[in-house]
DNA sequence: AATATTCTGTAGTAGCTGTTACAATATTAA
DNA sequence: TTAATATTGTAACAGCTACTACAGAATATT
């Protein structure tokens, strides 16, 4: 099944094979439903740096990332920035649409050229009512997200920055990594400032910790990409 | 409808009105389903300090907390303990049963005498397939949990211990607090060590920070219970 | 190619937190 | 009640991190 996304995206975004037509979540829908859903879904094409939504916006829509990468971050009262997660092709963004809050608690900003499909709450609710198995799949997805966030909480609780940074890198590598002969490679560049936002530490402290991790052989830096040689991918 | 729990629990546990028979999640089930489900549900009565499950145990069961309070915590490799969450009557525990992991990532230990109802994965899946609206409700619950964990990540990212502690206390108060004339009262005692596990800080540092928060008028201590006078409950 | 901008590396200092030790108080058990 | 245990409070010091400042390297822009 050819997806509308491909026509819209053009050739500058490498699309994931994950789409409404073939996403595992929707695999038991009949073709009429799929057609209806994929026509309703609001496709958006975003450039690097563009935001999908900002913290505080009313949360009425949930997005499937078709291609690219999206950073979920938040600015705290004291002005410090915190990155909560980085989502990639095949992931959902805005899953808290279902919660009571009513607004997005974070901002979603594209790290690369990105393509998304958006769905409204009512669209999703209808879908789940009609196809309970889709509900089960979403439950599984949300459950995985909870596990991941639990890991994140654990990482941040580690006092020592070097250890904390390594845990953060491991988490990122597990989500965005590819196995190579040298180890797990994180598929996109991260500046020390980015890592600071992910780790909750000062940029300069990250530089120090990176130096120590390199020296300890726990990370390798190869043309802007990070490799974790001692990590096994799940 | 009289719940089986009441007969089992006896009089030493104050039960929440939330049960299979009247839990909002199950409100659209017909009486035959409710009967079947409540008979299958495995009730457990636990004393203070007893564990519902330990980190690493196979995750095949999810629990509804009928009465009492359960601490979800984890021991890190370096031996430090971290408390991820405290659940109360009406909450679910073990929701990661749905995820791929296969085992509980945390231990669940009772802080008080506690009563739970357990459900197996297959039981829940059947239920969702038969009653899609139940699936939607669970999606909402999980979604709320994600929001809460996001807050938790945010709290832990704050470097300053006094501020971090106050955020942790606010989170706890929002979950377990009751509005009083003086402010929001946390309904159960927390030692400085407990707060250390919640905050990811040393016990002595908690004592220091508590002193500062008291002095600043941000918290009041009244016979073992904490009051946050400046907090508004959601 | 030249310039501007972003990113990385290094250093020094101030401030905060962890750690250890011990006293004082409160709670629980005998 | 008394003894045992758990909790809180205080102090001193070591160690780590934040903060600031600046230089060099790498990228991006013109």
């Amino acid at each position: 099944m050819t997806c509308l996304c491909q026509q819209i995206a053009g050739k500058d975004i490498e699309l994931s094979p994950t789409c409404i037509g073939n996403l595992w979540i929707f695999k038991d829908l009949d073709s009429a439903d799929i057609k209806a859903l994929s026509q309703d879904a609001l496709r958006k094409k975003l450039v690097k740096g563009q935001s999908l939504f900002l913290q505080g916006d009313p949360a009425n829509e949930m997005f499937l990332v078709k291609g690219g990468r999206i950073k979920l971050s938040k600015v705290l009262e004291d002005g410090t920035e915190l990155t909560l997660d980085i989502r990639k092709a095949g992931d959902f963004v805005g899953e808290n649409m279902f919660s009571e809050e009513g607004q997005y608690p974070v901002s979603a900003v594209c790290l690369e050229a990105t393509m998304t499909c958006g769905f409204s709450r009512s669209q999703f609710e209808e879908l789940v009512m009609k196809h309970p198995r889709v509900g089960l799949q979403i439950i599984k997805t949300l459950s995985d997200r909870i596990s991941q966030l639990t890991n994140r909480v654990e990482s941040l609780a580690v006092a020592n920055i070097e250890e904390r940074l390594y845990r953060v890198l491991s988490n990122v590598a597990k989500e965005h990594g590819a196995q190579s002969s040298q180890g797990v490679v994180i598929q996109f560049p991260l500046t020390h400032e980015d890592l600071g936002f992910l780790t909750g530490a000062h940029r300069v402290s990250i530089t120090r910790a990176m130096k120590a991790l390199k020296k300890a052989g726990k990370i390798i830096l190869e043309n802007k990409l990070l490799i974790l040689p001692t990590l096994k991918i799940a």
Side-chain angles (χ1 to χ4, degrees), chain A residues 33-128:
Chain A
D33 284 320
I34 289 183
K35 201 169 175 183
L37 193 65
S38 52
Q39 276 174 358
D40 289 349
L42 288 140
R43 282 174 187 74
K44 275 185 195 167
K45 192 176 162 182
L46 302 140
V47 299
K48 183 176 171 177
Q50 204 175 348
S51 64
L52 193 56
F53 52 79
L54 297 176
Q55 76 188 86
D57 284 356
N60 301 313
E61 215 177 346
M62 182 164 138
F63 304 86
L64 172 63
V65 182
K66 179 68 186 161
R69 236 169 274 270
I70 293 179
K71 177 178 73 170
L72 300 181
S73 62
K74 186 165 189 175
V75 177
L76 308 186
E77 290 89 0
D78 64 355
T80 58
E81 185 177 332
L82 175 67
T83 298
L84 287 140
D85 200 4
I86 294 170
R87 304 276 164 93
K88 62 178 186 304
D91 290 340
F92 279 104
V93 169
E95 66 277 11
N96 62 299
M97 160 182 90
F98 293 111
S99 89
E100 302 289 326
E101 306 275 308
Q103 45 190 29
Y104 297 113
V106 296
S107 298
V109 179
C110 301
L111 295 175
E112 311 167 356
T114 295
M115 177 87 198
T116 62
C117 294
F119 309 89
S120 71
R121 189 188 336 229
S122 54
Q123 238 176 329
F124 244 101
E125 289 185 352
E126 259 176 54
L127 184 68
V128 170

